[in-house]
Amino acid sequence: MKHPLRQHIEELIELTNEEFAFILSHFESTTKRKHQYILQEGEIASKEYWVVKGCLKSYFFDEHGKEHILQFGMENWWITDYESFVKQTTSKINIDCIEDCELLYISYENREKLTKEMHKMERFWAKKSKYGRIALQNRILSLLKNSSKERYELLLEQYPQLFQRVPKKLIASYLGVSRETLSRLNN
Amino acid sequence: MKHPLRQHIEELIELTNEEFAFILSHFESTTKRKHQYILQEGEIASKEYWVVKGCLKSYFFDEHGKEHILQFGMENWWITDYESFVKQTTSKINIDCIEDCELLYISYENREKLTKEMHKMERFWAKKSKYGRIALQNRILSLLKNSSKERYELLLEQYPQLFQRVPKKLIASYLGVSRETLSRLNN
């Protein structure tokens, strides 16, 4: 059976066995329990994670101490504080596990090395980055344009399994609505 | 004097004369007058534009016919409907000139060809895409977290020249506030 990371990369880029072995040699693996964190505000994001199994959230607090969810991460998703990782500056966000997690990660240095040495991986991450940017653009369109009910329905349509795996109050925090509003939308 | 596009690319990637000539051979130039469009909703974005001179806006209408600004574009900025361009699907947005514009553009096919043939340009656009993604992430953080006054001040700090060049009602539409609110913030 193919390695799940190889399956994931080969959705966009074909690889030989040797190429995948070379890529994988740049990654390490780790496991985290529910509630453990992989990044805290004020740290520099030194790793980008790929989720083998589990679910995580990236979030930040506003000045009133209210939590806002920026992103969830599940199987086959990449997660880090993208700004902190790319610019190697201190992070404004936190990333915690909301389930027990199996993760692969690549360090900033290894990712730079790999993309410089291997045009195919530059191409892979360029494509992932494009799709990430499109998802963010659509979230902005949606925040500017859609009602909370419409945002809820879009999320349910795109990521139905989130609603099984993630507590309601986190969904509310992602959508930028109160838990009471979410309960009404849910019915 | 160096070509402005070369100066722009060399902020991230060093180029030889031959390399830049090869890159430039993939671009064409055009001029547009104020109020002309370069993309309309329902079309497929077949080109990515680089602004030599002038100012543009990308925007969409919600179901109440209200205009929302997604992005402005000025000198040295890239502008297209990123989703439509990358996926070659029909666009949800419009892009118009708000000043007379001199533009360079690259077609989808030429951009694909150039990034495949030249690792340096893959690397350049990967970096631009990363920064674009970071800007969008920060806009989402700001929409979730900041008051309209804070969003106004952030925009003023980041892009002071926008306030000289762009009509107030467009700034209000970008910030997602009414023109009256903007007038209050302005004082």
Side-chain angles (χ1 to χ4, degrees):
Chain A
M1 213 184 79
K2 271 191 189 169
H3 192 289
L5 181 62
R6 180 165 179 181
Q7 284 182 9
H8 172 72
I9 296 171
E10 289 199 332
E11 285 172 17
L12 296 178
I13 304 278
E14 288 289 306
L15 296 173
T16 64
N17 291 342
E18 291 67 32
E19 283 171 337
F20 180 67
F22 180 68
I23 292 164
L24 193 61
S25 72
H26 292 75
F27 282 82
E28 295 189 65
S29 67
T30 185
T31 57
K32 296 278 175 189
R33 286 191 316 280
K34 187 173 170 175
H35 299 310
Q36 283 191 303
Y37 69 87
I38 58 168
L39 181 70
Q40 286 194 308
E41 198 181 330
E43 295 175 348
I44 294 173
S46 57
K47 305 178 177 88
E48 185 169 24
Y49 292 85
W50 184 72
V51 186
V52 182
K53 194 164 169 16
C55 188
L56 305 93
K57 60 172 178 173
S58 74
Y59 62 102
F60 63 96
F61 295 101
D62 65 22
E63 64 265 46
H64 309 294
K66 193 177 159 198
E67 182 181 321
H68 298 275
I69 306 262
L70 186 63
Q71 192 204 323
F72 293 107
M74 295 185 294
E75 288 79 16
N76 291 330
W77 292 20
W78 296 85
I79 194 163
T80 185
D81 176 357
Y82 200 73
E83 176 166 22
S84 170
F85 185 71
V86 166
K87 296 187 180 169
Q88 289 290 288
T89 51
T90 56
S91 178
K92 292 174 272 189
I93 68 171
N94 305 278
I95 307 178
D96 291 0
C97 299
I98 52 184
E99 295 175 358
D100 293 349
C101 286
E102 288 175 37
L103 306 163
L104 287 176
Y105 63 86
I106 187 165
S107 68
Y108 176 78
E109 292 74 21
N110 269 351
R111 196 188 196 277
E112 281 296 294
K113 176 175 168 289
L114 190 54
T115 50
K116 266 193 199 130
E117 289 175 1
M118 200 172 164
H119 187 174
K120 276 189 180 180
M121 282 308 283
E122 183 87 79
R123 201 156 173 79
F124 170 75
W125 270 307
K127 285 194 184 195
K128 292 308 277 185
S129 176
K130 280 179 190 174
Y131 289 120
R133 189 171 159 187
I134 289 168
L136 292 178
Q137 175 167 319
N138 282 327
R139 187 148 177 224
I140 291 172
L141 290 180
S142 181
L143 279 168
L144 290 171
K145 177 181 172 178
N146 295 126
S147 66
S148 36
K149 185 167 169 34
E150 288 162 335
R151 293 209 301 275
Y152 171 82
E153 281 161 2
L154 274 172
L155 189 68
L156 187 58
E157 192 185 303
Q158 283 185 293
Y159 307 111
Q161 45 163 330
L162 263 185
F163 289 75
Q164 269 98 59
R165 293 174 65 174
V166 169
K168 292 283 180 296
K169 69 167 187 183
L170 296 184
I171 303 265
S173 159
Y174 177 88
L175 292 170
V177 302
S178 70
R179 208 168 158 181
E180 294 69 37
T181 306
L182 187 71
S183 299
R184 272 203 311 282
L185 297 173
N186 238 338
N187 296 325
Chain B
M1 211 187 80
K2 271 190 190 170
H3 191 290
L5 181 61
R6 180 166 179 181
Q7 283 182 11
H8 172 72
I9 296 172
E10 289 199 332
E11 286 172 16
L12 297 178
I13 304 279
E14 289 290 306
L15 296 172
T16 65
N17 290 342
E18 292 68 31
E19 283 171 336
F20 180 68
F22 180 69
I23 293 165
L24 193 61
S25 73
H26 292 74
F27 283 81
E28 296 189 68
S29 66
T30 185
T31 57
K32 296 279 175 186
R33 286 190 317 279
K34 189 175 169 173
H35 300 309
Q36 283 190 305
Y37 68 88
I38 57 168
L39 181 70
Q40 285 193 308
E41 198 181 329
E43 295 176 348
I44 293 173
S46 58
K47 305 179 178 86
E48 185 169 24
Y49 292 85
W50 184 74
V51 186
V52 183
K53 196 167 169 8
C55 188
L56 305 94
K57 60 171 178 173
S58 73
Y59 62 103
F60 63 96
F61 295 101
D62 65 23
E63 64 264 46
H64 309 292
K66 193 177 159 196
E67 183 180 320
H68 298 274
I69 306 262
L70 187 63
Q71 192 204 323
F72 293 107
M74 294 186 295
E75 288 77 16
N76 291 330
W77 293 19
W78 296 86
I79 195 164
T80 185
D81 176 358
Y82 200 73
E83 176 165 22
S84 170
F85 185 71
V86 167
K87 296 189 182 168
Q88 290 290 287
T89 51
T90 56
S91 178
K92 293 175 274 190
I93 67 171
N94 305 278
I95 306 178
D96 290 1
C97 300
I98 52 184
E99 294 175 356
D100 293 349
C101 286
E102 289 176 36
L103 305 164
L104 287 177
Y105 63 86
I106 186 163
S107 67
Y108 177 77
E109 291 74 20
N110 269 352
R111 196 188 197 277
E112 281 295 295
K113 175 175 169 290
L114 191 53
T115 49
K116 266 192 198 130
E117 288 175 0
M118 199 172 164
H119 188 173
K120 276 189 180 180
M121 282 308 283
E122 183 88 77
R123 198 154 174 80
F124 170 75
W125 270 308
K127 286 194 182 197
K128 292 309 276 184
S129 177
K130 281 178 190 173
Y131 289 120
R133 189 170 159 187
I134 289 168
L136 292 178
Q137 175 168 319
N138 282 326
R139 188 151 176 222
I140 291 173
L141 290 180
S142 180
L143 279 169
L144 290 172
K145 177 180 171 177
N146 295 125
S147 66
S148 37
K149 185 166 169 35
E150 288 163 336
R151 293 209 301 274
Y152 171 82
E153 281 162 1
L154 273 171
L155 189 68
L156 187 58
E157 192 185 304
Q158 283 185 293
Y159 307 112
Q161 46 164 330
L162 262 185
F163 290 76
Q164 269 97 59
R165 293 172 68 173
V166 169
K168 291 283 179 293
K169 70 167 183 182
L170 297 184
I171 303 266
S173 160
Y174 177 87
L175 292 171
V177 302
S178 71
R179 206 168 161 180
E180 294 69 36
T181 306
L182 188 71
S183 298
R184 272 203 312 280
L185 296 174
N186 237 337
N187 295 328

